[in-house]
Amino acid sequence: MKIGILFLIFVFIISPICSAEVDFSVMNLWTEKSTSAGGFFINLTEEKNDNNQSVNANVNFSKIGSNLDYLKGDLFFCEFDFVYKHQMFESKSQFIIPTFNDLFLSVKEKDFLFNEAFNGIGFLQSFSIIKNHFQISPYFQYTFFPSSSGAFHWFSGKIGIPKVVSTGLNFYISDHQINFLYTNAKINVLNDIDVAMGNLFGNNFFAEYKYNFNANQFLFSLFAGCGAFWGNLDLTLTKENQKFLLFPYNFYDCKGKINAQYVLFGGDFSYSNNNFGFELNSIVGFCLNQNGTINLDWKYKKNLFFNGSSGSKQTNIDFFNKKGVILLDVNTFYNFSFFSRPSKIYLEKTFVIPLSNTSTSIDVESELNYEKVMSLIFSGLKLGITIK
């Protein structure tokens, strides 16, 4: 946060002499008891137009930190965008560098250290053909996270993400938009000396239709989409890849699979005049069907401490089935002039409302207390300024 305040002061100093558009914001993602998760976001944009061509360059820096009881760590995110447009052709290149530091998770009051340091690199490239009211935009994105130091609570191991690959195709026909997206990801589970112990594969396909309506000071859009996710897990722990003395098993085998079908729909509304603006964005996501299984097989060592017995267990995975969430984002802004440059200050609040097919009675007196009221008020709150 201190870095964010210093940068805000820096922005005010350089704004009168810098031609780039500058956006700075701070956000509190979640507040719980005396802990919170939040960060700051910095965006610099420069655009040049010359006859029938234009060039847009954008740099984004973000830092998100958390000291929640069950989630601790810092995320640094750098993004570089370059867009070139010439008559009927448009090219967009994006380069991203996400970095996690000292990421700590706690599951059911057990320490679960995910990775001490986790650095990634990502690249996106899209090309667009534009003709009158028609536009087609195929794109490709590739991201990977090399493995790094870390440890799980239950066993000696860490993860590496060798690939997250997305391919998509967007169509624009006047006020109508159709989008297709397919994503494939792989996560490797490694021990401390980088010997592979298993992996997790995931696939997702999503299709969406969106309608945009523009009437003077009003902008309105509706969208609806559906998707499917499927994945599988294969992990085997053995006395050979778990070298610590008290590992109790000859082997511990975990195999699983999951499938899910879901829908997303919502709408965006905005109004603006010379001085004031208002935006309302909504997303409703609901899992129509989700099922899966986890199969466990194990055999203990036979020695002074363990009796060499074996066993197996199957567990169903249906925790997302017939459940969903509503996201409401409300944004108000005020336009003003800063050193003769158009600027705005904005306040944004995000509401998260869970959905379920089961109803549960709530004791208001026991559930709604001061800490939860403060959490509802300050979670998802964002304050920012843009200087054009």
Side-chain angles (χ1 to χ4, degrees):
M1 188 60 68
K2 292 181 180 178
I3 298 176
I5 295 174
L6 291 175
F7 188 86
L8 180 60
I9 297 173
F10 176 72
V11 167
F12 276 95
I13 293 174
I14 69 168
S15 292
I17 59 175
C18 177
S19 62
E21 178 180 311
V22 181
D23 182 89
F24 176 83
S25 61
V26 292
M27 184 175 188
N28 183 59
L29 294 171
W30 189 257
T31 296
E32 186 171 314
K33 298 180 181 178
S34 59
T35 62
S36 63
F40 65 88
F41 310 87
I42 303 161
N43 193 77
L44 304 175
T45 303
E46 181 73 29
E47 184 172 359
K48 299 294 183 181
N49 295 282
D50 183 18
N51 296 327
N52 294 323
Q53 62 183 358
S54 64
V55 176
N56 181 288
N58 180 79
V59 182
N60 180 280
F61 301 96
S62 304
K63 178 185 181 297
I64 299 174
S66 172
N67 64 348
L68 296 169
D69 292 337
Y70 47 85
L71 175 62
K72 294 180 173 66
D74 294 301
L75 166 64
F76 298 90
F77 186 86
C78 298
E79 177 184 324
F80 305 90
D81 299 320
F82 181 83
V83 180
Y84 173 76
K85 184 176 181 180
H86 180 72
Q87 296 180 348
M88 296 174 53
F89 174 78
E90 181 180 276
S91 170
K92 179 179 179 180
S93 302
Q94 183 183 82
F95 185 71
I96 58 175
I97 306 174
T99 299
F100 293 92
N101 284 337
D102 298 325
L103 184 60
F104 166 86
L105 298 175
S106 178
V107 179
K108 295 182 179 180
E109 300 181 353
K110 292 183 179 180
D111 295 346
F112 180 68
L113 181 60
F114 200 63
N115 269 90
E116 295 176 6
F118 210 36
N119 304 314
I121 297 175
F123 177 78
L124 180 145
Q125 181 64 54
S126 71
F127 298 98
S128 300
I129 303 297
I130 306 169
K131 179 65 175 177
N132 297 328
H133 298 293
F134 175 81
Q135 178 178 335
I136 181 171
S137 304
Y139 64 92
F140 171 83
Q141 183 174 16
Y142 180 85
T143 306
F144 74 96
F145 292 82
S147 63
S148 58
S149 57
F152 289 95
H153 173 80
W154 293 276
F155 59 92
S156 174
K158 56 187 179 181
I159 70 169
I161 304 178
K163 68 170 184 176
V164 179
V165 179
S166 296
T167 54
L169 184 63
N170 300 334
F171 294 94
Y172 304 84
I173 306 173
S174 187
D175 296 327
H176 306 272
Q177 181 178 342
I178 301 174
N179 306 320
F180 300 97
L181 172 66
Y182 171 72
T183 301
N184 172 263
K186 179 183 179 182
I187 300 176
N188 290 333
V189 182
L190 312 167
N191 68 3
D192 290 341
I193 57 174
D194 292 331
V195 175
M197 301 183 295
N199 48 59
L200 170 66
F201 291 94
N203 301 273
N204 183 75
F205 177 79
F206 181 70
E208 175 192 42
Y209 167 77
K210 187 174 185 178
Y211 173 73
N212 302 291
F213 176 74
N214 186 352
N216 297 325
Q217 298 173 323
F218 296 92
L219 289 174
F220 181 73
S221 65
L222 291 173
F223 71 90
C226 59
F229 173 85
W230 63 100
N232 58 78
L233 167 68
D234 189 350
L235 173 66
T236 300
L237 307 177
T238 67
K239 60 182 180 181
E240 284 77 22
N241 61 37
Q242 298 293 297
K243 295 295 187 180
F244 62 95
L245 180 62
L246 296 180
F247 182 68
Y249 302 99
N250 273 327
F251 71 87
Y252 192 100
D253 189 65
C254 176
K255 287 182 169 55
K257 60 181 180 180
I258 185 172
N259 298 279
Q261 296 82 43
Y262 60 92
V263 294
L264 291 176
F265 57 92
D268 304 325
F269 171 80
S270 66
Y271 165 80
S272 63
N273 57 28
N274 292 331
N275 297 317
F276 173 78
F278 172 82
E279 297 178 358
L280 175 64
N281 305 312
S282 64
I283 300 176
V284 180
F286 194 80
C287 189
L288 300 173
N289 180 49
Q290 183 260 307
N291 59 78
T293 57
I294 291 286
N295 295 294
L296 304 175
D297 293 283
W298 64 85
K299 182 177 178 59
Y300 283 96
K301 296 177 181 177
K302 189 170 184 179
N303 52 31
L304 181 62
F305 303 101
F306 308 106
N307 59 7
S309 62
S310 60
S312 63
K313 180 181 179 181
Q314 184 181 83
T315 303
N316 293 326
I317 308 174
D318 58 359
F319 42 82
F320 287 131
N321 193 35
K322 301 296 188 296
K323 295 180 181 178
V325 66
I326 300 175
L327 299 178
L328 294 177
D329 188 83
V330 181
N331 186 353
T332 60
F333 59 87
Y334 177 76
N335 298 314
F336 65 99
S337 178
F338 180 73
F339 287 95
S340 301
R341 296 181 59 176
S343 305
K344 72 176 181 179
I345 186 170
Y346 56 92
L347 179 65
E348 187 175 338
K349 169 68 175 176
T350 301
F351 299 89
V352 181
I353 306 171
L355 296 175
S356 176
N357 64 338
T358 59
S359 60
T360 304
S361 60
I362 299 176
D363 185 351
V364 176
E365 293 184 359
S366 63
E367 293 291 336
L368 199 60
N369 53 37
Y370 175 78
E371 291 179 347
K372 292 190 176 181
V373 170
M374 291 297 100
S375 177
L376 291 173
I377 293 175
F378 291 105
S379 295
L381 202 60
K382 184 176 184 181
L383 176 65
I385 183 172
T386 301
I387 303 174
K388 299 182 179 180

